[in-house]
Structure formats: structure tokens, C-alpha cells
Amino acid sequence: MIPGDFSPLVALFSQMDAAYNRIAAQYGFQCNGCKDNCCRSVFFHHTFVEKAFLLYGFSQMDLKRQKEMRQKGGTYISRTFLGSPTQTIPARKSLKLMCPLNQDGRCTLYFFRPMICRLHGLPHQLTRPADKTVVRGPGCTAGKFDDKPYIPFDRTPFYVQMAGIEQSFRKKTGHTRKIRETIAHMLSDTFAVYPE
């Protein structure tokens, strides 16, 4: 059973998944894995609520698997960031290492995966809050989206809702510092998995 404190996040993730699936279907796009697998990208995550949700899911794994995933995370950090668990600037060009939660091409915590893992892949747009500039992002190379007309996929409402959920979570848990971590960094942390 998912703790109630995560209910707003679960609802938002459900909206994201539905929107993503709807747009992907219009493109005729289905992610079946590829050599440029997004699970090999160095993604940074910026919210405590997503970290807590991921670690809550992680805590539901048996201890042997948790140990294996933490070891994989440690290897990921040492090879990408020269071993520093607090370093978040890659020490070298991306080695395209697989995310420590990926096993046999599948995410072991798929239900708990963060926002960027859910939204990555499709061409999209985002309106900057400061100046209302609309920024467009390309889709992944596997989708060959450059050959297709753009289907509007606006991430802005999701980011706005996530900011509100994060603000409430921070107020409840007392977190104040900025966060910029890979999943490997998250697994190496002793962060409380969910609010008391």
C-alpha cells in the first residue's frame, strides 16, 4: 500500500503516463529499447518527493536485491563521477552506463520511476515561467520524429503541478536544500523513504 503522502504524486504520474501514451500512439511510437537507451543517459532529478517515492519503492524490494542495486549504483558513481557520492558533475564524457535499477532491459521500479523517465522520448514543449518563452525539445532518435509533423505535447502543466507537490512535501518534511541527483546517488543516500 502506498503511503497517503504520495497520493498527489501518484495522481500526477498517472496524468503524465496517460498524456504520454496518447501522444505516442498518435505518432505510432512504441519504445522497445535501442542502442541509445535512455536508461543509459545521465539524468539528474530535482525533487525530494520523487526521491522519497523512488526510495519507498526501493525499500519494498528484498534486501538481497537492494544490496545488488546499491552496489550497481556505487559502480555507476565511481565510473561516472570518479567515486564521489556528493559529486554531481560528470568527471568525463558520458560512458553510457546503464541505470542501476535496470535489469535485463527493464526498470525494476517502473511504477516508482521519476518524472523525466516518464516523459523522455517524445518531442515536447515547455513554457518558461520567467519570460513565457516556449522552448521545444526533440524526441529521441529511435522515434525518427524529424520526419513527422510535430504533435503538441506541453510539459508545462506537469512541471507546475510537480512544483506545487514538491513545495508541500518540503514544508511537511523540512527539506530546504536544492537537489540534483542521479538515481545512483539516490540509492547511496540514507534519506528517509517517506514522511512520518
Side-chain angles (χ1 to χ4, degrees):
M1 183 173 174
I2 305 298
D5 294 293
F6 292 130
S7 296
L9 184 65
V10 171
L12 177 57
F13 280 165
S14 180
Q15 292 174 39
M16 288 180 187
D17 294 345
Y20 186 98
N21 292 337
R22 184 176 66 254
I23 301 297
Q26 290 178 50
Y27 277 116
F29 173 69
Q30 186 172 10
C31 179
N32 294 312
C34 64
K35 63 186 177 79
D36 294 321
N37 192 318
C38 58
C39 295
R40 294 183 184 276
S41 298
V42 179
F43 284 138
F44 290 102
H45 309 276
H46 301 275
T47 66
F48 278 104
V49 68
E50 288 181 283
K51 178 178 180 176
F53 188 56
L54 182 83
L55 291 181
Y56 172 75
F58 183 71
S59 74
Q60 305 307 298
M61 289 181 163
D62 65 69
L63 293 179
K64 181 181 178 184
R65 289 192 81 187
Q66 288 185 41
K67 183 178 180 182
E68 290 171 358
M69 299 296 174
R70 285 187 194 277
Q71 288 174 339
K72 286 169 68 176
T75 299
Y76 182 99
I77 290 172
S78 66
R79 293 190 62 198
T80 306
F81 303 95
L82 292 184
S84 172
T86 59
Q87 171 66 274
T88 58
I89 304 298
R92 55 176 74 85
K93 183 178 178 182
S94 174
L95 301 175
K96 291 289 186 182
L97 301 180
M98 186 63 79
C99 173
L101 292 178
N102 190 298
Q103 187 167 11
D104 301 324
R106 299 285 179 183
C107 178
T108 55
L109 286 178
Y110 190 77
F111 179 78
F112 299 93
R113 71 197 189 285
M115 172 172 62
I116 193 61
C117 301
R118 293 169 188 273
L119 297 179
H120 184 75
L122 295 179
H124 60 275
Q125 63 194 62
L126 178 67
T127 304
R128 290 178 177 162
D131 58 8
K132 304 304 179 188
T133 300
V134 176
V135 180
R136 292 268 298 270
C140 64
T141 55
K144 299 179 180 176
F145 296 108
D146 290 343
D147 303 331
K148 303 170 184 175
Y150 173 62
I151 299 171
F153 182 37
D154 188 1
R155 290 183 179 180
T156 310
F158 301 134
Y159 280 72
V160 170
Q161 290 181 67
M162 180 63 78
I165 292 169
E166 173 72 353
Q167 187 176 28
S168 296
F169 186 82
R170 281 172 176 261
K171 183 180 278 188
K172 183 165 189 174
T173 58
H175 292 292
T176 56
R177 69 175 175 84
K178 290 185 177 180
I179 177 174
R180 183 177 184 269
E181 298 180 350
T182 65
I183 284 176
H185 286 97
M186 292 179 185
L187 297 183
S188 70
D189 205 342
T190 55
F191 181 76
V193 293
Y194 62 91
E196 300 298 334

